[in-house]
Amino acid sequence: MKAPWNFTRFLPLAGRLLARGRLPTLLFAVASKGAAQGNRLGKLKDDLRLLQALCLAYWRGEYRAISPKALISVVAGLMYFLSPVDAIPDFIPVFGMLDDIAVLAWLMKTLDDELSAFRQWRNRQQPEKLAVVERLPDTPEQLQLQGPKKP
């Protein structure tokens, strides 16, 4: 399946973000925007949380069973979600979030196998461990100090 229009420009940006260790800052921004959007995201709010949990588990070194290409795609999708200037600018009432939702839905479908493997991994973990792995600290700097663990 072909990537949505304008998504591919986020792939090199995502690679640089990961290489520079800026994933914590991205995750905090995603959590903030996701909370602000409330019910406008519908089911995709759960998908957004799953992508965020995957990135947190990766950052903390707890889950590494994801291909580099898939991880970059996830990060690019989260960056697209955050970008105010994409196919349909977010400030346009009602329609501004449609392209973000479409990109997240496309990402969930495209990476279904990778995300299913992550869900299975999560299901095998103790709830106490998941609570620690998937919890965002108070600031991105605190998360930065906690990781990333090397494989």
Side-chain angles (χ1 to χ4, degrees), residues 137-148:
D138 295 331
T139 67
E141 294 77 23
Q142 289 173 337
L143 184 59
Q144 190 81 29
L145 292 173
Q146 296 173 2

Side-chain angles (χ1 to χ4, degrees), residues 7 10-12 14-15 18 66-77 79:
F7 172 77
F10 287 88
L11 293 170
L18 285 168
I66 184 170
S67 72
K69 182 179 178 181
L71 182 63
I72 287 173
S73 293
V74 167
V75 171
M79 291 175 77

Side-chain angles (χ1 to χ4, degrees), residues 37-77:
Q37 294 304 320
N39 293 331
R40 290 176 59 190
L41 293 175
K43 179 202 174 294
L44 283 175
K45 191 166 188 171
D46 293 335
D47 295 340
L48 193 60
R49 285 189 190 124
L50 179 72
L51 297 174
Q52 183 176 339
L54 170 64
C55 289
L56 279 166
Y58 182 85
W59 175 259
R60 290 194 164 116
E62 298 292 334
Y63 184 79
R64 295 298 175 130
I66 184 170
S67 72
K69 182 179 178 181
L71 182 63
I72 287 173
S73 293
V74 167
V75 171

Side-chain angles (χ1 to χ4, degrees), residues 126-145:
Q126 295 293 321
E128 301 82 24
K129 179 179 180 176
L130 278 182
V132 171
V133 169
E134 296 179 358
R135 185 184 75 74
L136 276 174
D138 295 331
T139 67
E141 294 77 23
Q142 289 173 337
L143 184 59
Q144 190 81 29
L145 292 173

Side-chain angles (χ1 to χ4, degrees), residues 47 50 108 112 115-124:
D47 295 340
L50 179 72
M108 298 302 290
D112 185 54
L115 295 174
S116 292
F118 178 65
R119 284 186 195 98
Q120 289 173 2
W121 175 83
R122 284 176 83 200
N123 291 339
R124 291 190 305 268

Side-chain angles (χ1 to χ4, degrees), residues 5-17 72-73 75-87 103:
W5 179 83
N6 215 13
F7 172 77
T8 55
R9 75 180 180 102
F10 287 88
L11 293 170
L13 299 172
R16 285 195 297 274
L17 182 132
I72 287 173
S73 293
V75 171
L78 295 176
M79 291 175 77
Y80 190 97
F81 172 72
L82 287 177
S83 177
V85 181
D86 40 39
V103 166

